[in-house]
């Protein structure tokens, strides 16, 4: 595997998550963040591109332009996020001031993945997803 700038950042993030402790930025943040991710997963399950896109940060929306392009990217590049067979939330963590939500997901073939969501608070106080990195876990689901 070649180490690119994106891969290097991903590995640094995974390492930071391993040594960080669960911390909430404020009471209720973990509940609100989980609700945003669950709502986006429900939108993917319903193939509701506009709804799924609405949970992405402005930077992610700008990167993909349209809800349909965003949904296509998730469908092809993140199939376990598009159609997980199981979803288990780990405790919310804060790394360098940014809330990070790790979600353990299984795909249809029984492979286990860690989806690492970077979250961003908006000016109105709501939370949006500012990126997701996938790493295949060592074990398979049972």
């Amino acid at each position: 595997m070649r180490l690119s700038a994106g891969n290097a950042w991903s590995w640094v993030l995974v390492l930071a998550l391993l040594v960080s402790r669960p911390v909430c930025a404020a009471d209720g943040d973990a509940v609100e963040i989980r609700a945003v991710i669950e709502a986006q997963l429900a939108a993917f399950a319903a193939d509701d591109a506009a709804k799924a896109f609405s949970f992405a940060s402005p930077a992610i929306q700008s990167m993909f332009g349209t809800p349909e392009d965003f949904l296509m990217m998730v469908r092809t590049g993140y199939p376990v996020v598009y159609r997980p067979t199981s979803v288990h939330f780990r405790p919310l963590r804060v790394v360098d001031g940014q809330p990070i939500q790790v979600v353990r997901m299984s795909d249809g073939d029984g492979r286990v993945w860690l989806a690492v969501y970077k979250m961003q608070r908006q000016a109105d106080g709501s939370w949006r997803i500012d990126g997701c990195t996938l790493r295949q876990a060592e074990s398979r689901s049972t």
Side-chain angles (χ1 to χ4, degrees), residues 40-41 43-44 48-57 59-78 81-82 117 129-132:
Q40 189 180 60
L41 292 172
F44 290 145
D48 188 339
K51 186 76 165 174
F53 196 58
S54 74
F55 298 109
S57 71
I60 298 296
Q61 290 179 355
S62 177
M63 185 183 312
F64 291 98
T66 69
E68 294 74 23
D69 286 346
F70 176 70
L71 186 64
M72 179 61 72
M73 178 279 300
V74 174
R75 186 181 303 141
T76 59
Y78 294 77
V81 173
Y82 178 64
Y117 286 87
I129 299 167
D130 195 39
C132 179

